[in-house]
Amino acid sequence: MDTLFWFVPLASVLALLFAGLFYKQMRKASEGTETMREIAAHVRKGAMAYLKQQYKVVTVVFIVLALFFAVLAYGFNVQNPWVPFAFLTGGFFSGLAGFIGMKTATYASARTANAARNSLNEGLKLAFRSGAVMGLVVVGLGLLDISLWYLVLDYFIDTTGAQKLVIITTTMLTFGMGASTQALFARVGGGIYTKAADVGADLVGKVEAGIPEDDPRNPATIADNVGDNVGDVAGMGADLYESYCGSILATAALGASAFYDGADLQAKAVLAPMLIAAAGILLSIVGIYTVRTKEGAGMQQLLKSLGTGVNLSSVLIAVAAFGILYLLQMPNWFGISCSVIVGLIAGVIIGQSTEYYTSHSHKPTQSIAHSSNSGPATVIISGLGIGMVSTAIPVLTITCAIILAFLCATGFDTANLLTAGNLSLGLYGIGIAAVGMLSTLGITLATDAYGPIADNAGGNAEMSKLEPHVRQHTDVLDALGNTTAATGKGFAIGSAALTALALLASYIEEVKMGLQHIGTTTIDIAGRTVEVTRATIPDFMAYYQVDLMNPKVLIGVFIGSMMAFLFCGLTMNAVGRAARKMVEEVRRQFREIKGILTGEATPDYARCVAISTQGAQREMLFPSILAIIAPILVGIIFGVAGVMGLLVGGLGAGFVLAVFMANAGGAWDNAKKYIEEGHHGGKGSEAHKATVVGDTVGDPFKDTSGPSLNILIKLMSMVAIVMAGLTVAFSLL
């Protein structure tokens, strides 16, 4: 077993080495003309300045929270003493992953535009492999962090026997809160930044002034390009880092509990998700090298090129999962392997569903474009309707994945579905399905990070006034990026649902540890005394009266559902306020700086960058802090039962709402792209203006509120897990 474990850190180091290789290859490519280099430098400077300011704010929050956890751990003894340190490392690695990915993207955009001057294939390969830096850094740092924490805790924790692995895995879960907190700040702050700039640039530039997208005469265009990097690259990287780590850690904790009575099997169950993730890294690298296309390729051919890499990795990982679990000689290894396959298939179905509803190659997005002939109102109505309809397939997919993963792990023992043993094993199956879904993250995140790189390449080509064929190449790559970004968001949301369910089960394990911290060794359930260390999930459900007739549970469900909508409302309004300032500034510059529209004067780009930065820093704090406070307050007032209700309500409402917002926003965006290709009058037509309005409405849907929801779901779970000791020790009701 010890020998097999070393495969995990080895795979993580290999991922980081390949990320370094792709980064060096990208830096060797030419950045193009002097103008191209100058524009790229402006974007890079703005992105770095924003992240520096954001990290200052986040650092203060992290220090305050770490001190709070230290007081709980060392002052009141209601928390594991490792929690403050785990929390800080989780946040650090999450932020580092986002930073490296964003730095790569800001160097890659101009080089992609320059590569597109030669051929479409060169542009695709450079942009995709630059995106792969993000994918490989996320999985590499994530698995390295998990490996190091495992080794440290294994060395320092004195407990022996089965309880040692339970303590190790539940302690490791807590660093996920640090990752989730950092991810939420990155997503919310980056989302507000990018959409404030985007809305301002589109509404005033395209609609009012009638100038093309990314035109250098638009004062907001540099801020818009900066925003693509801080929101869609740094934010997405931090987001999926915590999903990736959360799924592995939650599954490991469930494995430690499910196989408590078998020391050898327990160790194998803890190691299995780590090994599957490690194999996923190696096979994602194989898939990355298969992505290429032919000159003159259209959207369908490009989607097929990316799909080839992702699907190949998925098939290979499916085969590898069977081999790993057979090698470990897990009980019902075949069934648990099938749970992994269920997760992989669910990820593919959600991705394909998202593509169908958001790509302008398909009917739903084309119907939105068609509705533009009657004005912006019908565009918005049509987009909202398609976004709502699009929730059906992902929700049904996740529900099928949950029950199939559960049944596969239990050997389809439906007669004893909810017995203690089958419940633990089934939940382990759901957790490992989440690991399976995220095992291809090295390449699926590459397809996502590719999008902003291609978008910025198009902007650079426009501002540098390159040849028309270059802009045609970058427009094709950009349209592909919109679809892959929407697919990536769907994938992230789907994985969040499975991960959150595994975290929900892991919460019970942390409650068990909380009881031990306050000195409780036995609990009384319906007249029988049960040792805390041997209490099952049904035992705790009975002890805390977690059922639908308990008003504390129902109150928690309502508050959790409310949190999803409240959070979206706060972030949408934040974008609106920041965008309003941007619109006013762009109008002011067009009015007061003579010669901008004729190209005789240079806009004040820095002022627009400053507006987005200030808006994002100011507006991101309250929604993010609220997501942390809510589970703590519910736990203090309503106890464990209330927290369980909160997590269920947040998961149910948040998942559906996130899918709706991401898909509606992506469809509005690509409806605009469809018209810009020459349909329904093309650029500058009334139909085009109508879809631009729809796109601006969809911007905070798909890039701020929607993708932030999956972090909200997991962050509330992580906060609940970290604060379980306090909830157990003290609650009013």
Side-chain angles (χ1 to χ4, degrees):
M1 290 299 296
D2 289 341
T3 305
L4 284 173
F5 170 79
W6 290 105
F7 179 64
V8 178
L10 182 64
S12 67
V13 171
L14 191 65
L16 295 174
L17 288 174
F18 270 93
L21 174 65
F22 291 147
Y23 180 80
K24 285 184 177 180
Q25 288 175 348
M26 177 271 295
R27 290 295 300 267
K28 285 180 181 178
S30 172
E31 208 167 11
T33 66
E34 180 63 32
T35 304
M36 294 172 72
R37 291 195 295 271
E38 185 179 330
I39 291 166
H42 280 307
V43 173
R44 191 157 50 246
K45 182 181 177 182
M48 292 301 174
Y50 170 76
L51 273 196
K52 184 179 179 182
Q53 187 61 34
Q54 178 178 281
Y55 288 158
K56 285 181 180 178
V57 176
V58 173
T59 299
V60 174
V61 174
F62 266 75
I63 290 172
V64 171
L65 287 173
L67 289 173
F68 175 61
F69 297 147
V71 171
L72 293 178
Y74 301 108
F76 297 99
N77 196 35
V78 295
Q79 201 167 72
N80 192 303
W82 290 96
V83 166
F85 306 104
F87 171 73
L88 290 173
T89 61
F92 174 77
F93 277 102
S94 177
L96 182 61
F99 174 81
I100 293 172
M102 193 208 70
K103 185 177 180 180
T104 303
T106 57
Y107 277 109
S109 57
R111 290 172 168 84
T112 298
N114 192 58
R117 299 170 76 184
N118 299 323
S119 76
L120 184 64
N121 184 51
E122 284 189 32
L124 174 67
K125 283 176 63 177
L126 199 151
F128 182 73
R129 291 191 181 179
S130 299
V133 174
M134 165 64 87
L136 294 174
V137 163
V138 165
V139 296
L141 288 178
L143 216 51
L144 184 64
D145 196 10
I146 289 170
S147 303
L148 292 175
W149 265 111
Y150 184 88
L151 291 170
V152 168
L153 293 173
D154 185 55
Y155 180 81
F156 282 103
I157 290 175
D158 295 328
T159 309
T160 57
Q163 189 63 15
K164 182 174 183 175
L165 275 178
V166 172
I167 295 173
I168 288 174
T169 53
T170 51
T171 302
M172 288 169 67
L173 265 174
T174 60
F175 94 73
M177 181 184 167
S180 295
T181 304
Q182 166 60 35
L184 192 63
F185 277 108
R187 256 306 187 192
V188 173
I192 294 170
Y193 185 111
T194 184
K195 294 305 107 178
D198 202 1
V199 170
D202 281 357
L203 284 181
V204 185
K206 285 185 179 180
V207 177
E208 296 180 10
I211 59 179
E213 186 172 11
D214 298 315
D215 193 295
R217 293 173 292 176
N218 194 324
T221 191
I222 293 292
D224 186 10
N225 281 270
V226 170
D228 289 336
N229 291 287
V230 300
D232 293 339
V233 180
M236 176 60 82
D239 174 0
L240 285 170
Y241 175 91
E242 58 97 21
S243 284
Y244 184 74
C245 293
S247 67
I248 297 169
L249 295 171
T251 307
L254 290 172
S257 175
F259 298 93
Y260 189 87
D261 291 325
D264 188 47
L265 288 178
Q266 188 192 38
K268 291 175 180 178
V270 169
L271 187 58
M274 300 182 194
L275 289 175
I276 293 169
I281 287 177
L282 303 181
L283 299 173
S284 290
I285 294 170
V286 173
I288 289 167
Y289 276 100
T290 65
V291 176
R292 53 178 51 87
T293 192
K294 296 178 181 177
E295 194 61 27
M299 177 65 80
Q300 287 301 320
Q301 290 91 342
L302 288 169
L303 281 170
K304 186 179 178 182
S305 298
L306 293 184
T308 299
V310 174
N311 293 335
L312 176 64
S313 296
S314 298
V315 170
L316 292 174
I317 290 167
V319 175
F322 279 91
I324 289 168
L325 292 168
Y326 175 77
L327 184 65
L328 291 173
Q329 288 297 294
M330 291 282 293
N332 190 23
W333 65 270
F334 184 84
I336 296 173
S337 299
C338 289
S339 295
V340 176
I341 308 304
V342 167
L344 281 165
I345 294 172
V348 171
I349 293 173
I350 291 173
Q352 291 299 310
S353 167
T354 306
E355 182 205 325
Y356 175 74
Y357 282 106
T358 60
S359 171
H360 61 45
S361 301
H362 300 293
K363 188 177 178 180
T365 296
Q366 291 176 7
S367 70
I368 296 175
H370 180 73
S371 70
S372 65
N373 292 308
S374 51
T378 49
V379 169
I380 293 168
I381 292 169
S382 182
L384 289 172
I386 283 171
M388 290 177 182
V389 170
S390 74
T391 63
I393 294 176
V395 170
L396 291 173
T397 299
I398 288 297
T399 53
C400 290
I402 289 169
I403 191 63
L404 284 174
F406 190 102
L407 291 173
C408 286
T410 58
F412 283 81
D413 185 11
T414 56
N416 302 294
L417 194 67
L418 296 181
T419 60
N422 274 354
L423 188 60
S424 295
L425 195 58
L427 290 170
Y428 181 76
I430 294 171
I432 213 155
V435 173
M437 183 182 283
L438 288 165
S439 60
T440 59
L441 190 61
I443 188 169
T444 52
L445 185 51
T447 65
D448 200 343
Y450 150 88
I453 294 171
D455 190 2
N456 271 214
N460 194 296
E462 182 72 36
M463 286 184 277
S464 303
K465 296 181 169 54
L466 298 182
E467 301 86 347
H469 80 274
V470 181
R471 184 67 201 201
Q472 289 172 1
H473 285 166
T474 58
D475 278 350
V476 173
L477 294 175
D478 184 22
L480 174 67
N482 283 334
T483 300
T484 60
T487 304
K489 290 181 178 72
F491 180 83
I493 294 163
S495 66
L498 286 180
T499 301
L501 195 59
L503 289 171
L504 187 63
S506 298
Y507 175 64
I508 299 300
E509 294 304 315
E510 198 64 40
V511 167
K512 184 189 295 185
M513 299 303 300
L515 286 169
Q516 294 175 65
H517 273 295
I518 62 173
T520 302
T521 56
T522 61
I523 54 177
D524 293 321
I525 306 167
R528 62 188 180 95
T529 301
V530 181
E531 289 183 28
V532 169
T533 56
R534 294 194 169 274
T536 63
I537 291 177
D539 289 334
F540 283 106
M541 294 292 102
Y543 181 69
Y544 286 107
Q545 298 178 308
V546 183
D547 62 67
L548 290 177
M549 294 298 101
N550 187 342
K552 291 189 286 186
V553 175
L554 290 174
I555 289 168
V557 169
F558 280 118
I559 294 174
S561 303
M562 175 206 71
M563 281 294 299
F565 285 87
L566 177 61
F567 183 82
C568 284
L570 291 170
T571 50
M572 291 279 288
N573 286 333
V575 171
R577 285 190 292 270
R580 185 168 62 249
K581 292 179 181 178
M582 186 65 71
V583 167
E584 291 170 355
E585 174 60 23
V586 176
R587 285 172 176 168
R588 183 195 68 79
Q589 292 197 32
F590 281 156
R591 185 175 61 250
E592 297 180 5
I593 303 176
K594 306 300 180 183
I596 286 183
L597 290 175
T598 59
E600 298 170 325
T602 302
D604 185 357
Y605 299 122
R607 177 59 188 154
C608 292
V609 170
I611 288 173
S612 273
T613 301
Q614 292 164 9
Q617 297 299 318
R618 184 171 55 253
E619 300 281 5
M620 73 177 182
L621 274 173
F622 182 66
S624 302
I625 297 295
L626 184 66
I628 296 171
I629 292 174
I632 299 174
L633 290 179
V634 170
I636 290 174
I637 299 171
F638 299 109
V640 172
V643 172
M644 292 290 286
L646 174 81
L647 300 183
V648 169
L651 174 58
F655 173 56
V656 180
L657 187 58
V659 173
F660 155 65
M661 298 188 83
N663 287 354
W668 274 317
D669 194 349
N670 275 335
K672 177 195 68 176
K673 289 284 193 299
Y674 183 72
I675 288 181
E676 288 175 346
E677 289 183 353
H679 302 90
H680 303 293
K683 291 183 179 180
S685 65
E686 290 301 314
H688 181 228
K689 291 179 180 179
T691 55
V692 170
V693 173
D695 181 33
T696 57
V697 173
D699 276 336
F701 271 55
K702 68 180 175 65
D703 289 326
T704 308
S705 301
S708 296
L709 275 171
N710 62 334
I711 308 174
L712 175 75
I713 293 167
K714 290 170 293 184
L715 179 58
M716 289 200 301
S717 299
M718 286 295 184
V719 173
I721 286 170
V722 170
M723 302 306 298
L726 179 64
T727 305
V728 167
F730 178 82
S731 63
L732 295 175
L733 299 176

